[in-house]
Amino acid sequence: IAGITQAPTSQILAAGRRMTLRCTQDMRHNAMYWYRQDLGLGLRLIHYSNTAGTTGKGEVPDGYSVSRANTDDFPLTLASAVPSQTSVYFCASRGYYNEQFFGPGTRLTVL
Amino acid sequence: QQQVKQSPQSLIVQKGGISIINCAYENTAFDYFPWYQQFPGKGPALLIAIRPDVSEKKEGRFTISFNKSAKQFSLHIMDSQPGDSATYFCAASISQGGSEKLVFGKGTKLTVNP
């Protein structure tokens, strides 16, 4: 593992289903973030975590939850997916100089 | 106040030309201004960043110009190449409640024609 990995790469999901997007980093960064990217809207922060055991809400948290049981993993859960959650999801971690490193993304389609 | 406004939405430049992307912000609490480059199907990657105590930073063909009084910053790509064709995002960082967050512009799709 080098940097941030995300899984799955892409997923098609029926509305109402539960889905967890996985994110793992190997850089031992304390802070991690989840963004969604939609055409014309840029990247919007969903949830963040400053350190293991803590989480916070971003700009668009509704319908999403996160947990941070350890430093490396930061899963994002959609409890009951809706079509408006169709998006590309990026996980990121923050380095020592405030730079953020992004994963390759998960493309999610909710039908 | 939390917005970062980016322009233009799209930009077409000839090979060898200069690409210029502009961003503006309102909140003077922003203290770090990175630019990200994103290729199709990939995650954003940090390109270059600047802090507000510096007016310009250059790394190779990429330069950030920062105007603190105008609350504007821009990315200049000199000698633009077809391989620079990507979407570019400006961002601004702010500390809130003990956490550092990035606010992104909406992006500029750059096309460099050969």
Side-chain angles (χ1 to χ4, degrees), chain A residues 33 35 37 40-43 45 48 50 57 90 94 97-100 102-104, chain B residues 32 36 38 41-44 46 51 89 93 97-102 104-106:
Chain A
Y33 306 83
Y35 296 90
Q37 184 175 38
L41 295 179
L43 290 139
L45 182 65
Y48 65 93
N50 288 334
K57 294 182 179 180
F90 289 101
R94 179 164 56 87
Y97 300 102
N98 272 354
E99 72 277 32
Q100 288 192 19
F102 285 79
Chain B
Y32 171 73
Y36 284 83
Q38 185 180 28
K42 304 292 186 184
L46 179 66
R51 297 197 180 273
F89 293 94
S93 178
S99 62
E100 295 283 338
K101 297 174 188 172
L102 282 178
F104 286 86
K106 290 183 167 48

Side-chain angles (χ1 to χ4, degrees), chain B residues 15-78:
Chain B
K15 179 182 175 182
I18 302 173
S19 303
I20 302 174
I21 304 171
N22 300 299
C23 286
Y25 64 97
E26 287 295 325
N27 193 338
T28 55
F30 289 136
D31 59 4
Y32 171 73
F33 300 88
W35 285 88
Y36 284 83
Q37 180 188 57
Q38 185 180 28
F39 293 105
K42 304 292 186 184
L46 179 66
L47 186 63
I48 187 172
I50 198 167
R51 297 197 180 273
D53 54 346
V54 177
S55 61
E56 186 176 281
K57 184 174 181 180
K58 184 176 181 179
E59 290 184 1
R61 295 184 295 108
F62 300 91
T63 300
I64 298 179
S65 296
F66 187 83
N67 186 328
K68 189 173 181 178
S69 60
K71 289 184 274 188
Q72 295 174 347
F73 59 110
S74 59
L75 176 69
H76 292 64
I77 305 174
M78 311 300 288

Side-chain angles (χ1 to χ4, degrees), chain A:
Chain A
I1 294 178
I4 294 182
T5 57
Q6 293 185 237
T9 301
S10 64
Q11 182 75 42
I12 298 174
L13 190 66
R17 298 295 297 266
R18 180 183 180 91
M19 175 76 191
T20 296
L21 309 185
R22 300 185 298 278
C23 173
T24 299
Q25 56 119 347
D26 66 353
M27 297 175 282
R28 307 301 295 171
H29 290 160
N30 283 324
M32 296 187 73
Y33 306 83
W34 273 105
Y35 296 90
R36 60 177 289 173
Q37 184 175 38
D38 302 288
L39 195 64
L41 295 179
L43 290 139
R44 293 181 292 168
L45 182 65
I46 304 171
H47 284 288
Y48 65 93
S49 169
N50 288 334
T51 189
T54 70
T55 62
K57 294 182 179 180
E59 180 186 354
V60 288
D62 294 343
Y64 306 95
S65 64
V66 292
S67 61
R68 187 89 183 275
N70 57 62
T71 297
D72 298 344
D73 300 300
F74 190 41
L76 176 74
T77 297
L78 290 67
S80 179
V82 295
S84 62
Q85 292 177 312
T86 293
S87 188
V88 182
Y89 291 86
F90 289 101
C91 178
S93 68
R94 179 164 56 87
Y96 302 110
Y97 300 102
N98 272 354
E99 72 277 32
Q100 288 192 19
F101 300 92
F102 285 79
T106 293
R107 182 174 294 274
L108 181 66
T109 302
V110 182
L111 301 176

